[in-house]
Amino acid sequence: MKKKHVTIDDSSTGPSSEEPRRTLQDDTIVYRGMHIPKHMLSPGQDGYRTPTIEDYEAENDGTIGPNGARTPNGLATPNGHSTPNSLHHRQPHIRHHLNLSSTSLAHSILDKLHWRDRIRHFTWTFFTMTMATGGIANVLYTVPFRFRGLEAIGIIFFLLNIVIFIFNVLMISLRFYCHPETFRASILHPTERLFIPAAVVSFGTILLNISQYGPSHAGDWLNNAVAVLFWVDVGLALIASMGVYLVMWSTASFTIEKMTPIWIFPAYPLLIIGPHAAVLSQTLEQKRAFDIIVGGFTLQGIGFMVSLMIYSAFLYRLMTQKLPQESTRPGMFVSVGPSGFTAAGVIGMAEGAQRALPSDFMGNTQMSAMILKVISAWMSLWIWGLAFWFFFISVGAHWSCVGPKKMVFTMTWYSYVFPNTALVTSTFAIGKAFDSKRIQVIGCVMTPILILTWFFVVGMMIRAIVLKQILWPQKGEDKDEGGFKGPKPSRRISV
């Protein structure tokens, strides 16, 4: 049997008035670069149709005549309903033979993609999964009321996070290898580039977990190695944060109505430096611990102050434009993270300063450490309250989203987990600083809820992959938006 082909040229982005033409073959019709088998066409799409008055009206005023002389996709539709979607519904039995590239026209005809084409849409946002998983391990390590098996559960999440991180690195590398044009597009895309720092945050979270769970099982050599990697993480955090913001401000302009707390995301790599420094300062020798505390305080301050300035833009947006669309409201929880991580990090570093400050520091080491501890505790109390304020605002904003088919899954749903891990750890830190078991109990109540939320989001992610809500053209953070259109390769597909 003679093999047929469909050739799709993704370079055609707009409507075309080109009429179908016959090829030398009798079994296909060429339309807009597509060799469409005749059995897939409706009457009038074979290039032979008597012109009508509606054709003239459509060409002059841009409207579509009652007999469908031209549709927005440029297909002739004499019966008023033959579109690429109608072709899709007319021939379901040929779908399993085809493998099309990521074009809206192709996917209106077919509902299956080859794995290479699905990998094309594996974006940086998948690193939010590792952020959330590592955050759960961090929470379990800081739970003040310990029981047998708690550390083992934390280690499970820690090791699982490493596996997921390696998987994400392999997948996104495979994406850029199979589709090289998507690397530059991911940096220039107005939404996807905001999540590039998620990879750095994931790396920093793994280092934090290693510092928490590793030395007690592997020895001090591991802690010393992580201390070196701490400064590597500092460099990556500065590059990711400043680099993404610089690209944003250099390549596009934004309006306040499009603003979401996701704009804070490039500052997140800086926000986990402080909590990591707090853990390391408890175990390293005095000189190295002091250097790490100074670096941790500095970068934590930069991250929080940048986030605070973006907070003001977000509040202005809420005042003038109401709440964001339902699909973007999970990102509102991103506003919880900066305050939470800062409160936990500052209290932890102040506690470590008692053994890290050099002798005769500012005239009196003991007095200096005590003053630092008191100021950090009361300052963090303010910041912790701000984290809870944004948490309740974000929860209340989801009241109108409750119900079936109100929200479609996106990878930003992991914002339900990772920023709130900062809220829980800061709650434990505040409770410890003020010796309040009641506050610590609040954190303990939030911990199982957070773990259940993690399982819920992971389950919804798997469901979304099956239902083609993610890893699918024009469905993820790499979709065309704001005038940005991603690169579209050409592909020849067998029918």
Side-chain angles (χ1 to χ4, degrees):
M1 180 178 177
K2 187 169 165 184
K3 196 172 186 180
K4 307 171 189 175
H5 295 86
V6 175
T7 301
I8 293 184
D9 183 6
D10 291 353
S11 61
S12 58
T13 58
S16 172
S17 59
E18 177 185 352
E19 292 295 334
R21 65 182 185 275
R22 286 188 178 276
T23 62
L24 296 178
Q25 299 175 336
D26 293 329
D27 57 349
T28 63
I29 295 294
V30 176
Y31 179 73
R32 293 182 63 196
M34 297 178 60
H35 295 268
I36 306 288
K38 288 195 297 183
H39 66 274
M40 293 179 63
L41 300 176
S42 297
Q45 290 180 332
D46 55 0
Y48 296 95
R49 184 171 64 83
T50 303
T52 64
I53 185 62
E54 288 79 12
D55 295 342
Y56 175 82
E57 293 174 351
E59 291 177 1
N60 284 273
D61 59 16
T63 60
I64 301 175
N67 70 340
R70 187 174 58 183
T71 69
N73 287 319
L75 287 176
T77 56
N79 50 13
H81 65 271
S82 294
T83 65
N85 284 327
S86 66
L87 297 180
H88 164 68
H89 294 297
R90 184 171 292 109
Q91 295 295 337
H93 62 279
I94 68 166
R95 297 175 194 169
H96 66 281
H97 294 295
L98 300 180
N99 169 29
L100 292 176
S101 60
S102 56
T103 64
S104 58
L105 178 60
H107 300 306
S108 63
I109 298 176
L110 308 175
D111 62 359
K112 284 191 176 181
L113 279 181
H114 193 268
W115 65 270
R116 287 173 58 96
D117 295 302
R118 297 204 72 171
I119 287 176
R120 179 185 179 87
H121 306 285
F122 192 94
T123 62
W124 292 102
T125 53
F126 277 83
F127 283 96
T128 58
M129 178 169 47
T130 49
M131 291 169 54
T133 308
I136 294 293
N138 181 32
V139 168
L140 293 174
Y141 178 82
T142 57
V143 172
F145 307 111
R146 312 297 294 180
F147 61 87
R148 187 175 182 179
L150 181 60
E151 184 177 6
I153 298 174
I155 292 175
I156 290 173
F157 274 96
F158 162 50
L159 297 178
L160 176 63
N161 188 40
I162 294 178
V163 173
I164 298 175
F165 179 77
I166 295 174
F167 173 79
N168 285 346
V169 170
L170 291 176
M171 290 296 290
I172 203 162
S173 300
L174 195 59
R175 173 200 181 191
F176 296 145
Y177 176 78
C178 295
H179 308 279
E181 69 280 359
T182 61
F183 177 73
R184 182 174 183 272
S186 70
I187 297 175
L188 298 179
H189 193 282
T191 298
E192 185 181 358
R193 65 184 168 196
L194 292 172
F195 292 93
I196 294 176
V200 180
V201 177
S202 299
F203 175 71
T205 304
I206 290 175
L207 294 182
L208 172 61
N209 294 155
I210 292 175
S211 300
Q212 293 169 330
Y213 294 100
S216 60
H217 295 84
D220 292 337
W221 70 268
L222 182 60
N223 212 30
N224 293 327
V226 175
V228 175
L229 293 175
F230 170 84
W231 296 108
V232 175
D233 187 33
V234 167
L236 292 176
L238 288 171
I239 293 173
S241 179
M242 294 186 296
V244 170
Y245 279 129
L246 187 60
V247 171
M248 285 178 58
W249 299 333
S250 302
T251 60
S253 58
F254 302 91
T255 55
I256 194 65
E257 62 268 15
K258 299 298 183 182
M259 193 275 172
T260 68
I262 298 296
W263 288 10
I264 300 174
F265 211 83
Y268 258 69
L270 302 171
L271 294 170
I272 62 170
I273 298 297
H276 191 193
V279 175
L280 288 174
S281 66
Q282 303 290 336
T283 57
L284 294 175
E285 62 272 17
Q286 181 269 323
K287 180 64 172 65
R288 299 180 71 184
F290 178 74
D291 293 341
I292 283 179
I293 285 179
V294 172
F297 261 106
T298 302
L299 269 73
Q300 192 71 34
I302 295 173
F304 180 72
M305 293 306 296
V306 170
S307 303
L308 192 63
M309 289 183 280
I310 300 178
Y311 275 157
S312 62
F314 177 55
L315 291 177
Y316 178 72
R317 181 248 182 271
L318 293 178
M319 290 290 188
T320 58
Q321 303 293 331
K322 298 183 179 180
L323 292 172
Q325 296 179 352
E326 286 82 355
S327 60
T328 61
R329 288 187 193 177
M332 292 182 66
F333 283 97
V334 173
S335 59
V336 178
S339 301
F341 282 121
T342 300
V346 167
I347 290 178
M349 286 185 288
E351 184 178 350
Q354 290 183 319
R355 61 179 299 276
L357 295 180
S359 59
D360 199 30
F361 180 77
M362 293 188 176
N364 189 325
T365 301
Q366 294 296 328
M367 181 66 71
S368 299
M370 185 57 64
I371 292 174
L372 178 61
K373 187 175 181 180
V374 172
I375 293 177
S376 297
W378 285 98
M379 181 197 72
S380 298
L381 192 62
W382 286 7
I383 301 175
W384 175 68
L386 180 63
F388 261 106
W389 189 85
F390 275 112
F391 172 77
F392 287 122
I393 290 292
S394 302
V395 171
H398 282 71
W399 179 257
S400 60
C401 302
V402 177
K405 299 182 179 179
K406 289 292 185 66
M407 295 176 62
V408 177
F409 180 87
T410 63
M411 292 302 293
T412 56
W413 279 35
Y414 280 101
S415 299
Y416 292 140
V417 181
F418 184 69
N420 293 324
T421 63
L423 182 62
V424 176
T425 55
S426 63
T427 300
F428 290 145
I430 290 290
K432 182 178 180 180
F434 289 90
D435 195 21
S436 173
K437 292 190 180 299
R438 294 180 181 180
I439 294 178
Q440 291 178 329
V441 167
I442 293 175
C444 291
V445 172
M446 297 174 66
T447 299
I449 298 175
L450 198 61
I451 295 174
L452 291 176
T453 302
W454 181 87
F455 279 105
F456 170 75
V457 175
V458 170
M460 293 299 292
M461 180 190 69
I462 296 173
R463 175 179 178 270
I465 294 175
V466 174
L467 296 181
K468 306 179 180 67
Q469 293 175 348
I470 58 176
L471 292 180
W472 200 257
Q474 303 302 323
K475 292 293 184 68
E477 287 71 18
D478 61 336
K479 64 183 178 182
D480 297 344
E481 62 174 279
F484 180 89
K485 294 188 179 297
K488 301 189 181 297
S490 297
R491 190 81 49 86
R492 182 173 174 159
I493 303 96
S494 297
V495 183

